Structures are given as C-alpha cells and as structure tokens.
Amino acid sequence: CGRGPGGCRGGRTDMALRCAASLAAGRQPRGPRREGTVRWSSAAKASAVKINEKASREKILTLESMNPQVKAVEYAVRGPIVLKAGEIEKELRKGIKKPFTEVIKANIGDAHAMGQRPITFLRQVVALCTYPNLLDSPSFPEDAKKRARRILQGCGGNSLGSYTASQGINCIREDVASYIERRDGGVPADPDNIYLTTGASDGISAILKILISGGGKSRTGVMIPIPQYPLYSAAISELDAIQVNYYLDEENCWALDVNELRRALNEAKAYCNPKVLCIINPGNPTGQVQNRKCIEDVIHFAWEEKLFLLADEVYQDNVYSEGCQFHSFKKILYEMGPEYYNNVELASFHSTSKGYMGECGYRGGYMEVINLHPEIKGQLVKLLSVRLCPPVSGQAAMDIVVNPPVPGEESYAQFIKEKESVLNNLAKKAKLTEDMFNKIPGVHCNPLQGAMYAFPRIFIPSKAIEEAKAHKMAPDMFYCMKLLEETGICVVPGSGFGQREGTYHFRMTILPPVEKLKILLEKVKDFHIKFLEKYA
C-alpha cells in the first residue's frame, strides 16, 4: 500500500490471515519478501492455533447429546420413502431420464395438492376476514360477509392478525358447540369445553402431554390401534410414555374387538399404568367405520377400566359404504345414560384438513373435552397458553366447517353442490380402488368404508424378503422403494403404521382424480406382477 516496509494495517491483517490459513492446513507460509515482515509472523501463528482450536471444537448438539425422546420419534408418512421421492423429483427437473415423467405422491391425505378444488364459500369468508376491504365488494355474497363480520368482531382490533384467547375465538367456539348439538341430535355441548387447535394433531398432543406421568411400572401407558396413524406413536415416543398396542381384526374388515382390548390392557399392566385409550373412527390407515354396538362396547370397557378416551374423528364426513354410518363417541356416551355420560372422560377431535374441505394448510381444528376435573381444566388452558393461540385464519376456516350456509341463504345451493361432488367422487374412488386391488394376484384389500386411504395387504416372496434384509430394510419398505424407483408412485409401507408380524401392507391415498387414479392403480398392478415374477 506504500505505507512503509510492512504495508498498511489492512495489508498486514490479510497477510496474517493467509498465513494463519496455511498453518491451519499444515503448510508453512512462504517466507517474507522484505525485512520487517517478521513482526507479524508470530501473530499469524497464534491466529492459526486459534483457527485450529475452532476447527476441532466439538458440536454441542450431536446425535449422542440430543434429546433421546426426539431421536426415537418416527413419522412414516414423511419418512425415508418421501425423502427419496423428493430426490427423484429433483433428478427429473434436471432432465435425468426415468421410466416415468412425474412422481405421484400418494403417501399423504393432502386433497388440494392432488387437485381437489377448494370449497368456494369457505375461501370467500377467509378472504373477507383476511382483507376486510372486500366487505364493500359486490363480488361477495352477503351470507359470507355476515360470517366474516362476526368473526372479525371476535378478533382484537377487528383483525385476523391479532392474537386470540388461547382457547380460541369465543364466537367460533359457540359455533362448534352448536354444530356438535346438530350433529348429535340435540346432545348438549358447552362452548367452555371446546378448544380450538392447530389441526387435530395439536389437540391430541396437548391432551397426551397432560395425561402422561409416573415412572417405571407406574409410567402412563397409551393404548393405540395397530395399524395406527403415526402421530400417536411419535407423540408417545416424544413424551417418553409407554405404547400399548391393540390389533384391529383384518379378517373382519379391521373391526375393533373388546376382547383384544382386554388382552392388551392386561398384558400392559405388568410393565406400565395403562390409562389412555385412543380410537380412530373412521380409521386411518384402515378405513373402517365403527358401528354403534362396537362404540358402546368400547365406552363400557373404558368406564369399567377407568380409561381416558381419545376419539379421533377427523374423517367423520368421509363415510362411503352402504350400511355404514358415523356415530360420534360423545353421542353414544350420552345415550348410554348418566352413569356413563357423567363419568367417562372423553376428548374428541375434528379438523379442517379432511372431510370434503381438505384445507390442510390452514391448520384448523378443535377438540371437545368432557368430564375433565375443574382443576385440570385450568392446567390445560395454561398449557395451551404457552403457544399463545392457534392460527387465526385456521380458526376462521374451522368456523365455516361448523357454520356452513343453510337452506334459504344465497350460497347454499353452490355449497351443497360442491360438498356432494367431493364426497361422491371419493366414494366412487374408494370402490374403484378396492375393486382394482382385489383383481391383482397376491393383493387383498378390505372394503374402504370411510376416510381416504387404501391399506392393501401384499404378498412378498421369500427371495424379496431376503434381499430386503441384505439392504437392512423392512420387506414392505423394500417393496415400496422399488415401486417408487420403477413407477414414480410414492406410498407408505405398512411397517410405518404397525401390522401383525409376517404381514405386509402399504397405505395409499385415494385422492388423485379418477383418471389419474386408474393409471396409478394399473401401474401398481403391472409392478406387482413383475415383482412376483422376479422374486418367485
């Protein structure tokens, strides 16, 4: 820089850093070109030592030091198979040739991602709430504006951007209570027992958090169906509770048998304190719809054994098979009389994500909790207050699910047309999927009575099982990975949901449009036949 034999201060610093980097890499810096540069060589060495120290310092957070409960969590719906699907999508975008042109993600119940159109009225109300200037627009119907104004009046500053009460906006909880009363034929519902949640998952996790306690043999056991939705096993692992499996009866359309509940409970008492019973109705991934007698038996069992009931009812609108009907646990509990209704502790869950709405991204949901001890009610509100409040746009979306247009309102005809179109299409796709799977050799699929998935049982030859072991994979994971790599179809192996030893399944959503679903099922058929031939 022309400022003396050592150059300017910045020049010395740059040179020192270069020398430090050389020393850090195990190289000696080149000697000084002029006299005087020796003044900074010792500083450079000191810097190099510091850099080496920084480079070799261990990370605070490692797989060994992290929370072991989090490490134990597994969520198959977004597990290794989905990560592989993402890699394949990137390769396709780069022009890498595959035996297919797109990845079909049939692994998750994401209706809109599969092409389902939003319900117009729901989107209108949320749009009005989000941008209230639209309330002056003649493009929006008055019944949508009326609901939007009511929701906004419940928000601080009349804005969807404000926090709400931790339990949710009061008028929306009132609407949820009215919906439950209509659904259940007049069974009373108290808005104070309603908690708006970030999807149903948030409510399920919150209730489990408050239920789990004890250590050793007194640690809380949570009874879950097998196959199950992996949220349950993930939450149980995260909370370091004890998972107690009860098996659904595949030979009887995945029915729930109280004798199996009793077996699981009695065995679990030897190593934990079972006090929670989880039910998914309609079933995920199995699609069964429980009849009234079954629900009565389960409620009696919970009453008799003093179990806290969790009823996951997010698919209550998704019932397709003739002779099947959704019965809420709350309704049946009430009709069984005061001895049951005043004593059995029950948390029921619903969501905007499924049904005919398919609004997964809004993360709207609610839970109704009855017969909770008054002091525990305060503890639950305290726990929920830590996350401040559920997304307010999701609360608004939930309100439209429970407070849709009614006969006589201008949006009613369009709303009913769109709702019935979605549900009729799903019923058609459920039957199509069942029929096509049952025509494939080595595949058996129970009737898809409800929900939005098929869970077929697949035959995997012994040679394929041996190859899967060589790759350190579960046999159905090996099968599903091959299916993805050869056809671009992404489904979830049954081992991610749980299944009886020696049986193999996969879960596939029925949400793609009918024509795409037919192509998908034909591809699965061709793949399965080739798979059997290869490994026979």
Side-chain angles (χ1 to χ4, degrees):
C1 293
R3 293 191 183 178
C8 69
R9 187 171 295 171
R12 286 201 301 270
T13 303
D14 290 343
M15 183 66 78
L17 287 171
R18 286 197 294 273
C19 289
S22 295
L23 286 167
R27 303 191 302 270
Q28 290 295 320
R30 280 183 275 181
R33 293 184 180 179
R34 295 194 299 242
E35 281 185 12
T37 55
V38 292
R39 288 177 298 171
W40 48 258
S41 61
S42 58
K45 287 178 181 178
S47 296
V49 171
K50 287 180 180 178
I51 288 171
N52 259 327
E53 286 175 352
K54 288 179 182 177
S56 61
R57 176 174 164 171
E58 290 184 1
K59 297 290 185 186
I60 295 166
L61 184 60
T62 66
L63 282 173
E64 288 69 36
S65 67
M66 72 174 286
N67 184 331
Q69 273 65 62
V70 174
K71 190 159 63 171
V73 167
E74 293 183 3
Y75 188 65
V77 173
R78 295 200 174 192
I81 199 94
V82 183
L83 296 176
K84 181 66 175 177
E87 291 173 11
I88 291 172
E89 282 184 315
K90 288 178 184 175
E91 291 173 355
L92 287 171
R93 284 195 291 270
K94 289 177 183 176
I96 297 172
K97 295 295 181 186
K98 301 281 181 186
F100 47 87
T101 57
E102 66 171 331
V103 171
I104 302 175
K105 289 185 177 176
N107 61 295
I108 196 164
D110 192 349
H112 293 186
M114 285 291 181
Q116 181 179 309
R117 305 303 302 163
I119 298 296
T120 302
F121 187 76
L122 187 150
R123 287 297 183 90
Q124 285 174 331
V125 176
V126 175
L128 289 162
C129 289
T130 305
Y131 190 57
N133 288 3
L134 293 173
L135 289 164
D136 297 324
S137 169
S139 301
F140 288 79
E142 282 304 316
D143 48 0
K145 291 179 180 180
K146 177 184 173 184
R147 284 165 175 78
R149 288 190 187 100
R150 182 166 177 267
I151 292 167
L152 289 171
Q153 284 167 9
C155 298
N158 289 326
S159 172
L160 221 59
S162 61
Y163 287 129
T164 72
S166 298
Q167 207 167 333
I169 297 171
N170 189 59
C171 68
I172 298 178
R173 290 191 292 118
E174 289 172 353
D175 288 344
V176 172
S178 297
Y179 162 79
I180 291 169
E181 288 185 1
R182 292 194 308 272
R183 181 198 68 188
D184 292 345
V187 175
D190 183 351
D192 202 37
N193 291 334
I194 308 296
Y195 303 80
L196 301 182
T197 56
T198 307
S201 304
D202 174 48
I204 293 165
S205 297
I207 289 291
L208 286 174
K209 275 181 189 176
I210 212 162
L211 275 163
I212 289 166
S213 64
K217 289 187 177 181
S218 66
R219 189 66 175 163
T220 298
V222 182
M223 301 181 68
I224 64 171
I226 297 296
Q228 52 105 21
Y229 177 49
L231 162 69
Y232 291 94
S233 54
I236 290 165
S237 292
E238 184 182 353
L239 297 169
D240 198 23
I242 307 299
Q243 179 174 317
V244 178
N245 297 338
Y246 67 86
Y247 289 88
L248 302 176
D249 184 0
E250 184 172 11
E251 305 306 317
N252 190 22
C253 288
W254 298 110
L256 195 165
D257 182 357
V258 171
N259 291 325
E260 169 61 12
L261 288 179
R262 200 171 303 282
R263 177 207 62 78
L265 180 81
N266 290 336
E267 288 182 9
K269 284 178 178 177
Y271 55 85
C272 69
N273 174 26
K275 64 179 182 183
V276 187
L277 173 57
C278 301
I279 309 289
I280 308 173
N281 179 47
N284 174 12
T286 44
Q288 84 285 4
V289 178
Q290 292 177 4
N291 61 41
R292 183 188 180 93
K293 176 67 166 59
C294 175
I295 294 172
E296 288 176 349
D297 289 345
V298 170
I299 290 171
H300 178 75
F301 177 78
W303 173 80
E304 187 178 48
E305 298 292 346
K306 296 183 179 177
L307 298 171
F308 195 113
L309 266 177
L310 303 189
D312 182 339
E313 298 174 338
V314 301
Y315 296 99
Q316 59 189 258
D317 288 305
N318 301 106
V319 177
Y320 315 123
S321 293
E322 284 187 26
C324 288
Q325 180 184 349
F326 171 75
H327 300 280
S328 79
F329 269 74
K330 162 87 176 293
K331 179 176 186 285
I332 304 301
L333 178 62
Y334 185 83
E335 292 173 350
M336 288 175 71
E339 189 174 10
Y340 294 93
Y341 185 69
N342 294 329
N343 290 293
V344 174
E345 292 154 274
L346 168 69
S348 307
F349 307 91
H350 196 17
S351 166
T352 62
S353 301
K354 309 304 175 186
Y356 59 90
M357 308 78 66
E359 294 282 7
C360 305
Y362 277 122
R363 308 309 300 132
Y366 75 75
M367 61 179 173
E368 182 187 25
V369 191
I370 62 172
N371 291 324
L372 206 58
H373 190 289
E375 291 177 358
I376 293 298
K377 203 167 188 175
Q379 293 294 319
L380 177 58
V381 172
K382 178 186 75 175
L383 177 64
L384 295 174
S385 71
V386 174
R387 53 91 160 117
L388 296 175
C389 68
V392 187
S393 55
Q395 294 186 49
M398 192 74 245
D399 188 66
I400 306 314
V401 175
V402 299
N403 184 26
V406 296
E409 290 187 306
E410 60 182 301
S411 299
Y412 178 74
Q414 182 181 9
F415 169 78
I416 284 297
K417 182 181 177 183
E418 291 175 353
K419 175 182 176 180
E420 290 182 350
S421 173
V422 170
L423 294 176
N424 289 339
N425 262 328
L426 284 169
K428 185 189 300 183
K429 290 187 283 190
K431 191 72 175 77
L432 169 71
T433 303
E434 176 196 339
D435 290 346
M436 288 192 71
F437 271 142
N438 285 326
K439 289 176 182 174
I440 304 174
V443 176
H444 173 73
C445 185
N446 274 325
L448 279 62
Q449 297 175 340
M452 47 184 63
Y453 312 99
F455 196 67
R457 183 170 174 173
I458 51 175
F459 171 71
I460 298 182
S462 55
K463 271 178 69 177
I465 293 171
E466 290 303 314
E467 189 166 331
K469 286 179 182 174
H471 286 85
K472 297 182 178 178
M473 286 185 184
D476 50 6
M477 172 63 85
F478 176 76
Y479 178 96
C480 292
M481 199 64 82
K482 289 287 185 186
L483 176 67
L484 173 63
E485 291 169 349
E486 294 180 25
T487 69
I489 296 169
C490 178
V491 297
V492 190
S495 49
F497 301 88
Q499 55 198 353
R500 282 198 180 274
E501 189 73 28
T503 68
Y504 307 108
H505 304 78
F506 63 79
R507 190 190 80 162
M508 185 195 87
T509 183
I510 61 170
L511 288 171
V514 172
E515 292 310 311
K516 182 175 260 192
L517 182 62
K518 286 179 181 176
I519 294 167
L520 185 157
L521 291 166
E522 283 292 342
K523 283 186 173 184
V524 172
K525 175 185 174 183
D526 293 343
F527 166 82
H528 187 78
I529 290 170
K530 289 176 185 174
F531 186 88
L532 292 183
E533 289 172 352
K534 180 177 179 179
Y535 292 103

